[in-house]
Each structure stands twice: as C-alpha cells, then as structure tokens.
C-alpha cells in the first residue's frame, strides 16, 4: 500500500497535476499550529473501514494526507462514505470529541482518481495529543492524580481504552487526607468526558485552587521540613507505643495552645501557625505515624452528635482510638478501645475494630 501511494505521489508530481480544490492538498493542523511534516503522504482508500481508520489517524496524529478513492465505482458513494466517517469519528473518537473543532472536506480529482481534501481545525485550549496520558488501570490513574496534586498542577487529561466509573473528586479528597505533607489545599475537581458515552473516552480533570501555584509550592517547602523533623524525632529503636507517644508530643507541644479553626491549607496552618480543626490534627498525625511505620488512619464520624474526626492506630497488633483534641482537653496522650468511645459514632465497617 505504501509503495502504491508513493508511486501515485511521484506520478502526480512529475506530471504537474495536483488536486485542484483551491490549490490545496488535504491538510490537518493540530491545535492551529503549522504542520512540521515536509512530505504529504498519499493514502489510497479502498473501503469505508479503511477510510474511517485513516481519518481517525489523521485526527489523532495530526497527519497531512491526500485521500484517493481508488476502488470506489462512483463519486457519490465516496462522498457518502466520507460524510458518514466524519460523523462517526466526531461522535465516537475520544480525541476528535475532545480536541477537534471542525472537520471540513472537498472533493476533486488528481489525474483520473477521485480524491478528497480534508481540513481539520482544533480548539486552541486543548492540550496536544502527546500530552494526553493513556491509562489502562485505576492504579495508573491514582498515581497520575497523586503526581499532579504534588506538583500543584491545574489538572490532567487521561485517555481510557476501557473506561471505568471513578469518583475523581473523592480520589483527590482521599489523597489530600492521606498526604497532607504534599497537598496544601484540596482543590475543587471538574470532570469532563469526551465523548460523554462510550468505552473509549478522554477524561479531562481540572483542579481549581483558591491559592496560586507559586504560593502552594512555597507552603510545601515550609511544611515538608516539619515532617522530616518528625521522622527524625522517632528515628531509632523505639517501640510502636513510644513512636505514637513521641509523635503526639511533637505535634501537640509545638504551641502552648492551638486555635481550633478550619483552614483551606490545613497542614501549613496547623504546623506553622497553630491553627487547625480536628480534620487537620488527625490527618497530620496519621501521616507522621505512617512515615514512622505505625499504622494510623483517620476516622470521620460524630462526637456527642457533632461532626468529628479522630484517629485509629495499631500498637503491637491491637487497634486503639486516639482523639487528639480530647487528649488536649484531658491533659495527655490516651488511647481507648471501642467500648470506651461512648460518645462517638462512626461506620464500624470502614475501620479496623478496636476491641
């Protein structure tokens, strides 16, 4: 097929004949940028399936091609097939649905062959094809989302061959809760699907922060040394109980008193300014425990009928509840088994049993 195409192209060039449709070959310019290709490949089309495949390749790869309908008996069939292929591509191809603004075409001849010139224009605000990340598993998605959150990026674009139902906002919130040393502010998440239905899709995630990226990176640089200091504070031959107690002291003794207040930058506000709520205390303490290899999780529920957040941690194979704000009220580190948590309510199925 490639040899045939090259021969046809050579004949066209030597004879001085071209595709006379306003003097242009088919042209595909990704994202309104000039094509960097020097040669313009000639594609011989022999049927609808090949036509659709080549048109999809042009859309996704930004190829410039002259389509010759070599085995079509009459031009009207070629016209109908191209019209149908354009409609199908715009409806089902993820990249076309995401990035393509318009697909226009004109028919003409080159020599004795029926031919079509295709002009594809792209939205200027779409990322280039090579920046769209192809993913095959949920684990890949989680890894990419985590990296973008650590980088304080504005989002990412994913290409699924087999789309899964994913709650992206919850994924972002879970990562921010688990890694407060990396995520200074939990962004709002906007999700767009291209096309809206289909097994193959492009998913565009946009992260909206109230704090600028430069400020967020500056906050990260101030928070990360505190976590490093916490790790050093429990380095060495300490038992799990001693690590848990020392990390409690490291966190709670930073300030003579804390201001209980919610902040959009919980780890930074807590560790640098002594301002935080139960969620900030629990998330930061759990992260410090985990980096010290102590199993510690954040529990959400209620205390005396009010929304509340605390920890459950494992010490010597046994799980206990630890409420840092309650400890602060009573004057020291204290863990409790589940039966002692009389004023608390939580979903028992979501967390390890502390019995």
């Amino acid at each position: 097929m490639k040899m045939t195409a090259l021969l046809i192209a050579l004949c066209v060039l030597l004879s001085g004949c071209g595709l006379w449709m306003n003097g242009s070959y088919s042209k595909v310019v990704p994202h309104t940028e000039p094509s960097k290709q020097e040669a313009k490949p000639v594609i011989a089309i022999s049927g609808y399936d090949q036509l659709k495949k080549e048109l999809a390749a042009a859309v996704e790869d930004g190829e410039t091609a002259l389509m010759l309908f070599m085995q079509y008996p009459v031009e009207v069939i070629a016209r109908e097939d191209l019209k149908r292929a354009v409609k199908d591509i715009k409806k089902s191809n993820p990249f076309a649905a995401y990035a393509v603004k318009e697909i226009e075409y004109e028919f003409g001849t080159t020599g004795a062959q029926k031919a079509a010139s295709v002009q594809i224009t792209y939205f200027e605000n779409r990322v280039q094809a090579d920046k769209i990340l192809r993913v095959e598993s949920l684990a890949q998605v989680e890894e990419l989302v985590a990296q973008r959150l650590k980088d304080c990026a504005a989002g990412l674009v994913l290409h699924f061959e087999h789309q899964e139902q994913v709650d992206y906002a919850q994924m972002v919130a879970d990562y921010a809760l688990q890694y407060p040393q990396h995520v200074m502010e939990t962004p709002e998440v906007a999700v767009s699907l291209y096309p809206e239905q289909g097994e193959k899709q492009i998913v565009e995630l946009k992260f909206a922060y109230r704090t600028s990226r430069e400020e967020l990176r500056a906050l990260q640089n101030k928070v990360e040394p505190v976590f490093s200091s916490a790790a050093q504070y429990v380095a060495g031959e300490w038992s799990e109980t001693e690590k848990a107690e020392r990390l409690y002291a490291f966190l709670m003794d930073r300030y003579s008193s804390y201001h209980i207040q919610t902040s959009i930058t919980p780890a930074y506000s807590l560790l640098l300014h002594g301002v935080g709520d139960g969620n900030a205390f629990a998330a930061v303490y759990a992260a410090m425990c985990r980096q010290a290899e102590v199993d510690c999780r954040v529990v959400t529920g209620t205390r005396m009928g009010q929304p509340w957040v605390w920890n459950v941690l494992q010490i010597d194979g046994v799980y206990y509840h630890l409420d840092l704000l309650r400890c602060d009220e009573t004057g020291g580190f204290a863990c409790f088994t589940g039966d002692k948590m009389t004023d608390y309510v939580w979903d028992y199925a979501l967390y390890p049993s502390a019995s």
Side-chain angles (χ1 to χ4, degrees):
M1 184 64 73
K2 291 183 178 179
M3 182 60 70
T4 301
L6 290 173
L7 289 174
I8 293 172
L10 182 61
C11 290
V12 169
L13 293 173
L14 290 177
S15 64
C17 297
L19 176 58
W20 292 101
M21 293 173 290
N22 300 323
S24 65
Y25 290 100
S26 66
K27 184 180 182 183
V28 177
V29 186
H31 317 293
T32 70
E33 296 177 358
S35 174
K36 297 180 181 179
Q37 296 184 5
E38 296 180 359
K40 298 179 179 180
V42 181
I43 301 174
I45 304 297
S46 59
Y48 178 76
D49 289 341
Q50 184 194 5
L51 172 60
K52 186 175 177 181
K53 178 181 177 181
E54 297 294 349
L55 185 58
V59 165
E60 294 187 23
D61 299 333
E63 293 181 353
T64 303
L66 170 62
M67 295 186 176
L68 302 181
F69 293 83
M70 298 181 62
Q71 297 184 22
Y72 276 71
V74 291
E75 182 178 314
V76 66
I77 298 178
R79 286 179 176 273
E80 288 300 316
D81 272 6
L82 183 54
K83 179 180 179 181
R84 181 159 63 102
V86 168
K87 184 178 180 180
D88 286 350
I89 289 295
K90 292 174 69 175
K91 181 179 179 180
S92 62
N93 182 272
F95 188 78
Y98 171 70
V100 172
K101 184 176 182 180
E102 191 60 66
I103 302 176
E104 299 175 304
Y105 54 88
E106 291 183 274
F107 266 86
T109 59
T110 176
Q113 296 292 338
K114 294 175 287 293
S117 171
V118 180
Q119 174 71 44
I120 304 176
T121 55
Y122 295 78
F123 292 107
E124 293 184 10
N125 61 342
R126 299 293 194 248
V127 302
Q128 296 179 356
D130 58 359
K131 294 182 181 179
I132 297 176
L133 305 169
R134 295 182 180 270
V135 292
E136 299 179 354
S137 68
L138 183 59
Q140 282 182 291
V141 177
E142 291 174 338
E143 182 179 347
L144 291 168
V145 168
Q147 186 59 54
R148 289 300 194 275
L149 291 173
K150 289 174 66 176
D151 291 342
C152 309
L156 72 163
V157 183
L158 306 170
H159 188 177
F160 285 87
E161 287 295 321
H162 303 284
Q163 171 66 307
E164 298 184 42
Q165 294 297 320
V166 181
D167 187 339
Y168 294 99
Q170 189 61 55
M171 180 185 292
V172 168
D174 289 345
Y175 184 82
L177 183 67
Q178 190 169 9
Y179 295 97
Q181 67 270 46
H182 300 320
V183 183
M184 296 297 98
E185 176 189 339
T186 304
E188 293 185 7
V189 182
V191 183
S192 300
L193 306 178
Y194 304 91
E196 293 186 1
Q197 302 292 332
E199 185 174 281
K200 297 183 178 181
Q201 284 183 317
I202 284 178
V203 179
E204 182 181 46
L205 303 180
K206 292 184 178 180
F207 302 152
Y209 297 91
R210 285 180 279 180
T211 310
S212 71
R213 186 182 187 190
E214 292 73 18
E215 290 178 291
L216 291 172
R217 296 302 295 268
L219 300 187
Q220 282 180 332
N221 291 334
K222 293 179 180 179
V223 165
E224 289 175 355
V226 181
F227 275 87
S228 296
S229 297
Q232 290 298 317
Y233 197 63
V234 292
E237 299 298 323
W238 300 100
S239 68
E240 289 181 338
T241 300
E242 289 168 330
K243 287 181 179 180
E245 290 180 350
R246 288 178 66 83
L247 289 173
Y248 169 85
F250 178 89
L251 178 59
M252 303 306 289
D253 293 346
R254 287 187 66 81
Y255 297 94
S256 58
S257 64
Y258 281 92
H259 297 285
I260 307 304
Q261 182 179 327
T262 300
S263 169
I264 64 170
T265 55
Y268 170 77
S269 296
L270 182 67
L271 295 175
L272 276 298
H273 296 288
V275 176
D277 56 11
N279 185 75
F281 276 96
V284 168
Y285 181 77
M288 289 180 174
C289 283
R290 285 193 299 270
Q291 72 177 6
E293 299 183 345
V294 175
D295 183 0
C296 186
R297 311 179 194 191
V298 177
V299 182
T300 57
T302 63
R303 180 190 180 193
M304 293 185 287
Q306 299 298 317
W308 207 256
V309 185
W310 65 98
N311 298 104
V312 60
L313 69 161
Q314 187 183 49
I315 297 176
D316 298 330
V318 179
Y319 283 98
Y320 298 92
H321 290 271
L322 174 66
D323 184 346
L324 299 184
L325 296 185
R326 179 178 174 183
C327 291
D328 192 47
E329 294 170 1
T330 57
F333 180 86
C335 292
F336 299 93
T337 54
D339 59 312
K340 301 297 183 183
M341 303 289 286
T342 54
D343 293 329
Y344 297 78
V345 177
W346 66 95
D347 188 339
Y348 304 108
L350 296 180
Y351 307 101
S353 175
S355 58

